[in-house]
Amino acid sequence: MRMLLITLLFTAMAPIIYAQNQFSGNITNQETGEPVFSATVYFPRLEKGTTTDIDGNFTIKNLPSGNYKLVVSSIGFTSYSNEVNIPSSNFKLLLNPSAVEMEEVIVSTPFHQLQSENVMRVERESVSELNKKGAVTLADGISQIAGVENLSTGVGIGKPVIRGLSSNRVLTYTQGVRMENQQFGGEHGLGISSKGIGSVEVIKGPASLLYGSDALGGVLYLNPEQYASAGETNAEVNGDYFSNTLGYQASAMAKTSGDKLKFIARGSLAEHSDYKAGSGERVTNTRFNEKDLKTGIAYQNAKFKSDLRYNFNRSELGIPEEIAEQTTSKTLVLPYQQIDNHILSLDNKIYFANSSIDAKFGYQFNNRKEFEDHHEHGEEHEDHADEEHDHEGEHEDHDHEEESEELHPALDMELETFNYNIKYNLPKLGNFETIAGIQGMWQENKNTGEEVLIPNAETVDFGIFATTHFHLTKWDFQAGLRYDTRNIDSDVYGDTDDAEYIQAVDRDFNSFNGAFGAKYQFNKHLNARLNLASGFRAPNLAELTSNGSHHGANRYEVGNANLDNEQNFQIDFSLEWRNEHFEAFANAFHNTINNYIYLNPTGETINENPVYDYVQDEAELYGGEAGIHIHPHPWDWLHIESSFETVTGKRSDDAYLPLIPANSITNTFRVEFNEGEIIENKYAFIRLKNVFDKENTSAFETRTGGYSLLGAGFGGRVQLEKSEVQISVNGNNLLDKTYISHLSRLKTDGIANIGRNIMVSVQWFL
């Protein structure tokens, strides 16, 4: 009987195993008949593609039989999206020239469609475009996206804020797996280098249907840079210099691909001195450095694809407390953090005739250490550092490193995480596309230092979901349901007589969530989207168990072991209009959160720190974004952009929520010229961001004054014999404005944000 089953299985699989097809074709300009060079030809579901050669020809090998969506895109042309049958005869396509920006496939949504086809609006930006705006870090760069801000501690530490929600309410995905790096802490940054990240996608609103707990406020999805096209070997060296921090970052990458096997590796290094505010003073101990390694190897044939990626990141970050000694040294002084983050991911896809299985697995090890001056060798270390700083920080590196090796961390936390995400793409049934899957996570937190912020604990997640997309000529519908469960089991810490005693917690949380969305295409210019979605977030360990001084926040926090799930429901409506001269969009949302968890001051003090309790209440957030983009034809080189964003957050008693960004409007004038005899892809821009007064603050916040920041930049690409060099110069806060962001954690100390910064970048593509 067993042999019979094996024989039947092999017989059923044989056509799949040996059905290796080749798809070839030619892409030409519909108006001129000329070939389109370097157009991207891509099968989203197969995650396989190539680019056209100088004659507009392309070939993609090792494809399975079946019907698959094909996307063809190129700068200056309308993107093409349609199903093709494989095997297929020679494919020919006429691309229609267009002044509208080129569309890309959105990866963070389940059906991998173009933005114009998505029921849910997703913001997408390439990291190269964000870098052109002078971003110092990845967290700084994503704040350029409408509806996204940066909760910062100086320049080196930042985390995304999506429509007023952050920390454990916003989930970060990298390499296709959820990022876990003790993100409960306000002074805990992303811990990911922008080098080796290809693009950023932002889901604004509940995404629990796709991602489970902690996606209540949205998702930041980081796409790694792609492998080389089949048969190609590429290399890149780049360097950036930052005038304000006297900092630099350098990176080198190499990648090669055959028909089936691919490899990529990138190493990066960054160092920055204390940043200088608009007042001319440097903010003591905001210096930071970063080492980053990203590598990957992938194999793909007609029936199977596997992509193994690894990322190691070490970040050493000063913890600022006051403006004191003025120095340009890059050597760390106490107190500072050292964070090691290892991410190993494996993405497997198995292709059948008209369906597929997608199985992602991730392993992460995060080690966070904080060194403070009251621990071993601390005083000796600081005396040594002061002496060396008197010599302008030029000679202390070697001696300081010797002292650092003798330091013992006050806080030493290890977080080990394994997660999985297995999805089955069912065969298409008429106009229905359906995906069903399971997700889960196992996580262990350990403390080995003297201080304990959260106790040793284990967390186990499991979720099951299904979602479907229904397509008509003008209508698109998407709906789904999900069930999740989470168990948090923590150890007891200390004795009952200790002031910082933490009782053991063993809690189960569960939630049903759903989403429904519709998109209607009124005509080729106008479409509307309506999305209704619920989300949830289980309380994190800090909220359940805290009982001690949180030095990074200068407060004593007391957890609440009886906290319930946060549960929210959001309505999101958007309109988009576009033609060859003009684009406009308007998004509005209303988000209701039941059992919203927040810190409430008690009026007491312990160890000279004010005491805050974790409590719950009903809350709501509402607002939106709107913008225009003018690109008059035939002056396709001219772009005028303007965007506005606003969000308001309140509790049920009408008190305002904390850490809600101020309203802002950004206006940009830019020009782009793709062709040139010597310099190609030339661009220049000038940008003015106006941030309004922040008056509606929470009970323990103060008003923040408005400000205007002027930025500008230019760049271009020079073609050498066998390589290219991209040069860009970008400046932020060119008027050296002294200002304080409402989302700066240094605001309570009256410390201003970064002043004028000029970034010079050189990229050499080999």
Side-chain angles (χ1 to χ4, degrees), residues 5-19:
L5 289 174
I6 293 174
T7 303
L8 291 173
L9 179 61
F10 181 81
T11 303
M13 292 291 291
I16 300 171
I17 295 174
Y18 296 104

Side-chain angles (χ1 to χ4, degrees), residues 79-120:
S79 296
Y80 168 87
S81 176
N82 211 342
E83 281 198 351
V84 298
N85 182 265
I86 298 174
S88 173
S89 56
N90 192 42
F91 179 81
K92 293 185 180 298
L93 176 65
L94 300 175
L95 274 187
N96 183 32
S98 172
V100 176
E101 301 288 292
M102 182 182 73
E103 288 190 275
E104 300 281 357
V105 173
I106 302 299
V107 179
S108 57
T109 53
F111 299 101
H112 291 194
Q113 298 169 315
L114 294 173
Q115 176 65 291
S116 59
E117 301 171 326
N118 261 331
V119 173
M120 180 187 301

Side-chain angles (χ1 to χ4, degrees), residues 566-733:
E566 287 185 338
Q567 190 78 42
N568 78 325
F569 179 77
Q570 179 167 306
I571 300 175
D572 197 298
F573 179 73
S574 69
L575 284 171
E576 292 177 89
W577 167 275
R578 59 166 54 190
N579 62 18
E580 62 178 352
H581 307 291
F582 180 80
E583 296 176 56
F585 71 89
N587 307 324
F589 75 94
H590 186 275
N591 188 3
T592 302
I593 306 178
N594 297 324
N595 297 320
Y596 181 86
I597 301 171
Y598 65 99
L599 282 166
N600 188 54
T602 65
E604 302 175 2
T605 58
I606 298 178
N607 299 330
E608 299 182 353
N609 289 319
V611 178
Y612 286 76
D613 288 343
Y614 280 103
V615 296
Q616 292 186 295
D617 197 358
E618 310 304 296
E620 65 172 345
L621 297 98
Y622 53 88
E625 307 88 36
I628 59 171
H629 178 192
I630 302 171
H631 42 77
H633 190 74
W635 304 325
D636 300 340
W637 49 268
L638 176 63
H639 300 265
I640 301 172
E641 303 173 29
S642 182
S643 64
F644 171 76
E645 53 190 275
T646 179
V647 59
T648 300
K650 291 184 175 182
R651 300 204 312 258
S652 61
D653 60 1
D654 235 19
Y656 289 104
L657 298 178
L659 298 176
I660 302 297
N663 298 343
S664 66
I665 184 168
T666 303
N667 296 292
T668 304
F669 175 86
R670 62 185 170 97
V671 294
E672 296 178 345
F673 299 95
N674 293 325
E675 298 180 357
E677 294 184 3
I678 300 177
I679 304 177
E680 300 176 341
N681 301 114
K682 299 181 291 292
Y683 75 91
F685 72 89
I686 184 169
R687 179 181 64 247
L688 181 65
K689 180 173 183 177
N690 296 288
V691 179
F692 299 97
D693 293 347
K694 181 64 177 176
E695 303 280 0
N696 48 357
T697 59
S698 71
F700 55 93
E701 290 181 320
T702 58
R703 172 190 178 276
T704 304
Y707 49 89
S708 298
L709 302 177
L710 181 67
F714 62 90
R717 180 174 296 194
V718 179
Q719 184 73 45
L720 304 179
E721 286 189 8
K722 295 183 179 181
S723 61
E724 295 177 339
V725 176
Q726 173 82 38
I727 302 173
S728 60
V729 179
N730 305 289
N732 287 327
N733 193 5

Side-chain angles (χ1 to χ4, degrees), residues 412-446:
D412 193 343
M413 305 168 67
E414 295 178 354
L415 185 68
E416 192 174 14
T417 306
F418 171 76
N419 47 41
Y420 59 90
N421 185 354
I422 302 172
K423 296 184 291 187
Y424 178 52
N425 296 270
L426 281 71
K428 190 173 181 181
L429 182 62
N431 291 329
F432 281 97
E433 293 180 85
T434 304
I435 295 175
I438 59 172
Q439 292 176 347
M441 178 181 76
W442 172 87
Q443 186 173 88
E444 183 178 30
N445 183 81
K446 289 183 179 179

Side-chain angles (χ1 to χ4, degrees), residues 126-137:
S126 67
V127 169
S128 61
E129 290 299 315
L130 295 178
N131 288 340
K132 285 180 181 179
K133 299 176 182 179
V136 179
T137 63

Side-chain angles (χ1 to χ4, degrees), residues 361-523:
F361 303 94
Y363 172 79
Q364 295 172 66
F365 182 78
N366 178 268
N367 182 208
R368 179 178 299 273
K369 298 178 181 179
E370 292 188 6
F371 297 88
E372 301 173 6
D373 56 8
H374 63 276
H375 282 265
E376 186 174 348
H377 301 292
E379 294 180 3
E380 178 185 354
H381 171 85
E382 285 206 304
D383 292 340
H384 175 78
D386 289 341
E387 178 183 348
E388 295 297 338
H389 286 317
D390 290 338
H391 293 86
E392 301 297 326
E394 295 294 328
H395 313 291
E396 76 274 45
D397 292 9
H398 178 72
D399 292 337
H400 177 86
E401 288 173 2
E402 289 182 346
E403 290 286 347
S404 297
E405 292 175 359
E406 299 178 13
L407 287 173
H408 295 282
L411 182 71
D412 193 343
M413 305 168 67
E414 295 178 354
L415 185 68
E416 192 174 14
T417 306
F418 171 76
N419 47 41
Y420 59 90
N421 185 354
I422 302 172
K423 296 184 291 187
Y424 178 52
N425 296 270
L426 281 71
K428 190 173 181 181
L429 182 62
N431 291 329
F432 281 97
E433 293 180 85
T434 304
I435 295 175
I438 59 172
Q439 292 176 347
M441 178 181 76
W442 172 87
Q443 186 173 88
E444 183 178 30
N445 183 81
K446 289 183 179 179
N447 293 278
T448 59
E450 294 180 24
E451 293 184 5
V452 171
L453 290 181
I454 57 176
N456 297 343
E458 284 189 3
T459 301
V460 180
D461 281 5
F462 176 77
I464 184 170
F465 69 97
T467 181
T468 188
H469 179 266
F470 181 66
H471 174 71
L472 296 174
T473 304
K474 290 192 172 184
W475 284 98
D476 282 274
F477 299 95
Q478 188 171 315
L481 287 172
R482 180 182 181 113
Y483 173 75
D484 283 276
T485 180
R486 168 173 285 188
N487 172 261
I488 298 177
D489 185 4
S490 72
D491 296 343
V492 65
Y493 173 71
D495 298 322
T496 54
D497 296 333
D498 294 342
E500 297 182 351
Y501 167 76
I502 299 175
Q503 66 179 11
V505 171
D506 188 358
R507 294 283 308 278
D508 290 304
F509 303 92
N510 57 76
S511 180
F512 282 97
N513 289 281
F516 173 81
K519 182 179 80 72
Y520 181 70
Q521 193 76 38
F522 291 94
N523 51 51

